[in-house]
Amino acid sequence: MLPAWTRHLAPGIEPADVDLTAAVSLPAAWARNWAADPDRLAVHDGDGWTTAGELDELTRRCAARYAAAGLVPGDRVVVSAAACVDLVVAHVAALRAGLVVIPVNAAYRQREVEQIARDANPAAAIIDDLTFGGWVADASNRDVFVRTPTDVARDTSAVGDASSLQLDASASADDAMLCYTSGTTGTPKGARLTHGNILASPEALRLAWRWTADDRLVLALPLFHMHGLGIGLHGSLLAGAGVLLLPRFDPDAVLDTARDLGGTMFFGVPTMYDRLVASPRCAELAELRLCVSGSAPLPPALFSALQEQAGLTVLERYGMTETLMNVSNPFDGERRAGTVGFPLPGVDLMLAPDGEILVRGPNVFPGYWERPEANEASFSDADDGGDPWFHSGDIGEFDADGY
């Protein structure tokens, strides 16, 4: 019997051909894309387009600046700024250099920032505001390399020969990101995401959503959360698609950008779709080939309103910080309101007797940073001898058709 995730595969793709971590790491896959088509338009912000070749060169130089500051593979780096090309460069360069990125919400206050800093003990911070969260770049933080994204992305000062750096060398099992949970059930925990994890999930979505280099994603989500960063940005660069960055969500800005710059996709949260439905321009969404909703349940009434006003059937999916994406409604076939579809390629999913969602696969993190008790409680051994199951803490059920 074929696994449930095969329902997402396009005709002609055999399950045996699916290897979500064949590229080893996202930076290695990105570098191959950039070398193959350096003139391709890769990232757009308020300053215009950055090509694939320019992104390659900028991230190489930025990685050299990290090395010149004494940062080495495995060092942890806080990254927090508004969405822009310079932030993309700072983030991508850190991954290429083997650093572990800690994305942090720029709206966090001192207590929240200090909590993460104490727990993660970062070696550097790339932040918009050097007083971010009360973290002042003074003698109290003299051992931390602190710069703005523009400093590290655009500084032309000599930093040595970037060509001598060993980039894109991380193994799939190496840590790539340390992403902190919201802390709604206690002290925020750092979820260790490996290079294999952050590659496997966008690769599964590339297959499931027919994501190609012809796409351009309108991205108004913040780049400190895995929805915008780990799926929107990472997935676009993996597919060779263009990213149209917006600093914040505004219905007119989304629709103008899609119209003027050839947008084909939009990722949003339910509150964004609620505002789009309220816009007199809602019907323009029909020009996009795919609109995806996540991060919170999409009310069936809103799902229906988008169908009625824009002829748009939103694709809803479900994921979490520790696993990235787990399940998705199908690209081909019925996208059913009130459900999040089927397990994505490579993902195994089952329900515990109490309805808790258990998942395993190459997208599932290896555990929390320095939280042995939480790790012991979060995983259970599999009866079939395979990888352990991660206990999501979320409750679900299957309908009669397996959604």
Side-chain angles (χ1 to χ4, degrees):
M1 181 178 178
L2 292 175
W5 57 258
T6 60
R7 300 175 74 161
H8 286 291
L9 299 182
I13 298 180
E14 298 297 327
D17 296 332
V18 175
D19 184 351
L20 301 179
T21 58
V24 179
S25 74
L26 273 176
W30 295 337
R32 285 193 288 272
N33 284 347
W34 300 333
D37 189 4
D39 295 327
R40 181 182 53 79
L41 300 178
V43 183
H44 186 281
D45 68 0
D47 293 326
W49 281 104
T50 298
T51 67
E54 290 169 338
L55 192 57
D56 183 19
E57 180 61 23
L58 285 168
T59 54
R60 285 180 181 276
R61 292 178 185 173
C62 185
R65 292 187 191 102
Y66 292 147
L71 302 179
V72 298
D75 280 346
R76 292 169 297 282
V77 179
V78 166
V79 178
S80 181
C84 64
V85 167
D86 289 347
L87 174 61
V88 172
V89 170
H91 171 73
V92 170
L95 293 179
R96 297 191 75 180
L99 306 178
V100 179
V101 175
I102 308 169
V104 177
N105 187 343
Y108 276 178
R109 296 186 179 181
Q110 183 169 350
R111 179 184 62 82
E112 296 160 310
V113 174
E114 287 181 347
Q115 202 168 44
I116 291 173
R118 281 196 303 269
D119 190 65
N121 191 24
I126 311 302
I127 51 183
D128 263 347
D129 180 355
L130 297 184
T131 64
F132 165 59
W135 186 354
V136 182
D138 61 11
S140 64
N141 289 305
R142 61 184 179 275
D143 295 328
V144 179
F145 173 74
V146 182
R147 293 290 186 275
T148 69
T150 300
D151 286 338
V152 295
R154 304 290 171 176
D155 186 1
T156 58
S157 60
V159 293
D161 184 4
S163 65
S164 66
L165 286 174
Q166 187 178 19
L167 300 179
D168 316 323
S170 297
S172 290
D174 292 340
D175 284 359
M177 301 181 71
L178 187 60
C179 300
Y180 278 80
T181 60
S182 62
T184 53
T185 57
T187 302
K189 299 185 292 289
R192 295 171 46 224
L193 294 172
T194 68
H195 278 275
N197 297 150
I198 67 170
L199 167 63
S201 204
E203 175 63 7
L205 296 177
R206 186 186 68 81
L207 294 169
W209 296 347
R210 316 297 189 259
W211 208 338
T212 75
D214 293 330
D215 281 309
R216 289 184 179 176
L217 172 66
V218 181
L219 189 57
L221 292 161
L223 298 185
F224 60 78
H225 189 274
M226 293 312 291
H227 191 171
L229 180 63
I231 302 304
L233 177 65
H234 288 181
S236 293
L237 296 179
L238 179 63
V243 187
L244 309 175
L245 292 177
L246 295 175
R248 65 190 66 83
F249 173 76
D250 174 78
D252 286 330
V254 166
L255 297 170
D256 288 346
T257 298
R259 178 196 63 207
D260 297 341
L261 295 174
T264 64
M265 303 169 69
F266 173 72
F267 295 173
V269 299
T271 53
M272 292 179 176
Y273 285 106
D274 196 50
R275 289 181 61 190
L276 284 163
V277 161
S279 167
R281 300 174 60 188
C282 180
E284 294 178 35
L285 287 172
E287 299 300 315
L288 298 171
R289 76 163 188 89
L290 180 64
C291 289
V292 178
S293 181
S295 297
L298 184 72
L302 181 53
F303 179 94
S304 298
L306 287 160
Q307 284 184 318
E308 293 166 3
Q309 296 188 35
L312 173 69
T313 304
V314 173
L315 187 153
E316 189 172 6
R317 89 302 181 275
Y318 156 72
M320 57 195 307
T321 302
E322 294 90 337
T323 64
L324 285 85
M325 294 301 104
N326 295 314
V327 295
S328 169
N329 267 275
F331 180 83
D332 296 322
E334 182 187 359
R335 302 173 193 173
R336 188 168 295 184
T339 79
V340 287
F342 312 113
L344 282 159
V347 177
D348 288 335
L349 182 148
M350 72 173 185
L351 300 182
D354 63 357
E356 184 181 14
I357 299 168
L358 310 183
V359 295
R360 66 181 181 182
N363 59 306
V364 177
F365 79 139
Y368 296 105
W369 171 255
E370 298 187 341
R371 294 288 197 281
E373 300 86 359
N375 291 332
E376 186 175 353
S378 298
F379 291 90
S380 61
D381 291 335
D383 293 338
D384 60 6
D387 291 337
W389 293 99
F390 172 63
H391 291 247
S392 70
D394 293 330
I395 301 298
E397 63 181 1
F398 289 107
D399 71 10
D401 297 315
Y403 284 72

